[in-house]
Every structure is written in C-alpha cells, then in structure tokens.
C-alpha cells in the first residue's frame, strides 16, 4: 500500500459528461501529480500541484482541470468527455517538490461509453 | 487485473536467472532517471533512480546503469523471482518536474 488513496476505483460514464476524480496523498506529502495511462499513449504526466499551487503542467487538455485543497487532497475534473478519454488515471504524491520519488495510488479506471 | 498495454515488448526469464531491461531516453537535459514496476491492477511502484551525474547505482537485487553517451538506461534484476513478473517502465525527469515515461517492458518469470 503506497499510502495514496484514489476514489473511485472504477467509473463508467457517457460521452459529454463531467466527472471528478479524487486523490488523497500520503500523510505529509505536499506534492500531488496526476497521470493518464492509456493503451495507445502510455503513461503521460498531466499536472502537478505543490502545497495548493499549480507547479508543473504536462499534456493536459483544456477540458481537464485540477486543484489541490488546503487539506492537500486533490481533484481532477474531466469535462465534455470523449471516448478517447477512457484510461487509467493515477495520482502520485511526494514530500518534496520533485517527481522522481513519488508514490502512486492504485488509479481510477475511467470508461467513457 | 487491468492490462497495461497489450503489445508491450516481453522479456521471458527463467526463475533464478538475471534479467536486463533496456530503455532509450531522448532528453539529454534530463537530470534524473527512474525505474518503476507496475503489477496488474496496481499503480507504478518506484524501484530505483539515478542522477544524471552517475553511471551506476545499486539497490536490493537491482542495479541501474546509465550511459549518457548513447542515452541508454538499463535495469538489472538479480536472481529473478516470480514476484518480479510485471511491467517495468523507465522515466526521465527534466526541468519543470515533468516525468516522461517509456513504453514499458513486460517481464514474465517462468518457474
């Protein structure tokens, strides 16, 4: 168990809908990272928050947004969902502002139908 | 469990033998290189990392080698065990805290 908790584990929704994925980082970790893992694109970095502020941005679509709350949990919002958004979404956390030793959660499997 | 990629290169290794997993990276400015293990239905798990100013680092049963001349990274697993069966990803970290992952290699350990 990495200590990073993601909910829900599975989510099935229709095209055009909006969903929110939630992540609770390891106790004390200030950094949260979001990744997307799909069969054709592999693992891709989306965005990082550090102590409530956006710190780094990767290949995140404009339809997607994230935030980190004062209690350090984070949410990833995906809107106007398309079939191609079906993927595993991982959250990772680290104690410092460095991605190299982040601990990953078990992921949320999103299926868009 | 979840399948992470149905068309990954696969390394079959006999239990007890050593495994070598290779990775080519692209960014000569990357300052950290990391190996992750991902088991079915789970998130990536950190194995070992190496700074760009090193060429070798050893952990418990694992060794990472970095060859910056040819932009090549390898992970050696000694005495491979059934529990080592998983998909292994290399990742490089460049400025801005962005990790770029390789496509992954599936390791199958035969008893």
């Amino acid at each position: 168990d990495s200590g990073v908790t993601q909910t829900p584990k599975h989510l099935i929704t229709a095209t055009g809908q909006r969903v929110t994925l939630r992540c609770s980082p390891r106790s004390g970790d200030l950094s949260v990272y979001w990744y997307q893992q799909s069969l054709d694109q592999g693992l891709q970095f989306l965005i990082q928050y550090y102590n409530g502020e956006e710190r780094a941005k990767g290949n995140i679509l404009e339809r997607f947004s994230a935030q980190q709350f004062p209690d350090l949990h984070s949410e990833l919002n995906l809107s106007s969902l398309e079939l191609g958004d079906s993927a595993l979404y991982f959250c990772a956390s680290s104690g410092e502002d460095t991605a190299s030793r982040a601990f990953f959660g078990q992921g949320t499997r999103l299926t868009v139908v | 469990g979840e399948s992470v990629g149905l068309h990954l290169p696969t390394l079959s290794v006999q239990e007890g033998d050593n495994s070598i997993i290779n990775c080519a990276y692209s960014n000569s400015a990357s300052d950290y290189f990391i190996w992750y293990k991902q088991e079915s239905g789970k998130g990536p798990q950190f194995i070992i990392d190496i700074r760009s100013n090193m060429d070798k680092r050893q952990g418990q049963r694992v060794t990472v080698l970095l060859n910056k001349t040819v932009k090549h990274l390898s992970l050696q697993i000694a005495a491979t065990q059934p529990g080592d069966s998983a998909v292994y990803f290399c990742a490089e970290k460049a400025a801005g805290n962005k990790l770029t992952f390789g496509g992954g290699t599936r390791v199958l350990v035969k008893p």
Side-chain angles (χ1 to χ4, degrees):
Chain A
D1 182 10
S2 67
V4 178
T5 304
Q6 288 186 250
T7 57
K9 285 188 169 45
H10 301 275
L11 195 51
I12 301 174
T13 190
T15 54
Q17 294 299 304
R18 182 179 190 274
V19 297
T20 297
L21 311 184
R22 183 188 168 99
C23 170
S24 293
R26 290 188 318 156
S27 177
D29 282 358
L30 298 177
S31 275
V32 169
Y33 310 81
W34 286 98
Y35 294 88
Q36 180 194 58
Q37 186 174 41
S38 60
L39 287 178
D40 55 347
Q41 298 282 343
L43 258 167
Q44 294 212 337
F45 167 70
L46 295 178
I47 197 164
Q48 178 208 355
Y49 278 81
Y50 178 78
N51 203 19
E53 294 188 359
E54 182 183 305
R55 184 59 64 101
K57 214 165 186 176
N59 301 322
I60 187 166
L61 300 171
E62 285 191 12
R63 300 184 284 110
F64 296 0
S65 65
Q67 54 185 326
Q68 186 179 28
F69 295 87
D71 68 352
L72 301 176
H73 91 271
S74 179
E75 292 182 353
L76 179 67
N77 302 297
L78 314 176
S79 61
S80 302
L81 284 166
E82 302 174 0
L83 295 178
D85 297 327
S86 296
L88 271 165
Y89 291 85
F90 288 105
C91 168
S93 75
S94 66
E96 302 164 357
D97 186 15
T98 174
S100 59
R101 292 201 179 195
F103 289 81
F104 282 74
Q106 297 216 353
T108 293
R109 163 65 77 182
L110 173 67
T111 303
V112 182
V113 297
Chain B
E2 301 292 352
S3 132
V4 175
L6 302 176
H7 303 292
L8 293 174
T10 298
L11 173 68
S12 290
V13 61
Q14 201 70 38
E15 182 179 354
D17 287 352
N18 297 335
S19 304
I20 300 176
I21 307 164
N22 297 303
C23 177
Y25 65 91
S26 57
N27 189 349
S28 55
S30 293
D31 58 355
Y32 262 100
F33 301 88
I34 310 109
W35 281 99
Y36 287 93
K37 172 186 180 183
Q38 187 174 22
E39 297 174 277
S40 183
K42 297 185 178 181
Q45 177 187 357
F46 171 89
I47 302 173
I48 192 168
D49 62 2
I50 186 168
R51 285 180 184 266
S52 59
N53 61 357
M54 301 170 66
D55 52 22
K56 181 179 180 178
R57 187 158 188 236
Q58 288 185 292
Q60 188 177 12
R61 275 199 315 118
V62 294
T63 301
V64 56
L65 299 177
L66 176 62
N67 185 331
K68 291 182 288 294
T69 303
V70 296
K71 294 184 187 172
H72 183 267
L73 189 68
S74 69
L75 178 71
Q76 300 176 5
I77 305 173
T80 313
Q81 302 169 358
D84 295 326
S85 291
V87 176
Y88 289 80
F89 292 95
C90 66
E92 54 182 308
K93 188 182 83 66
N97 232 359
K98 300 178 185 180
L99 285 185
T100 302
F101 285 83
T105 298
R106 190 182 305 276
V107 172
L108 291 175
V109 181
K110 297 177 288 185

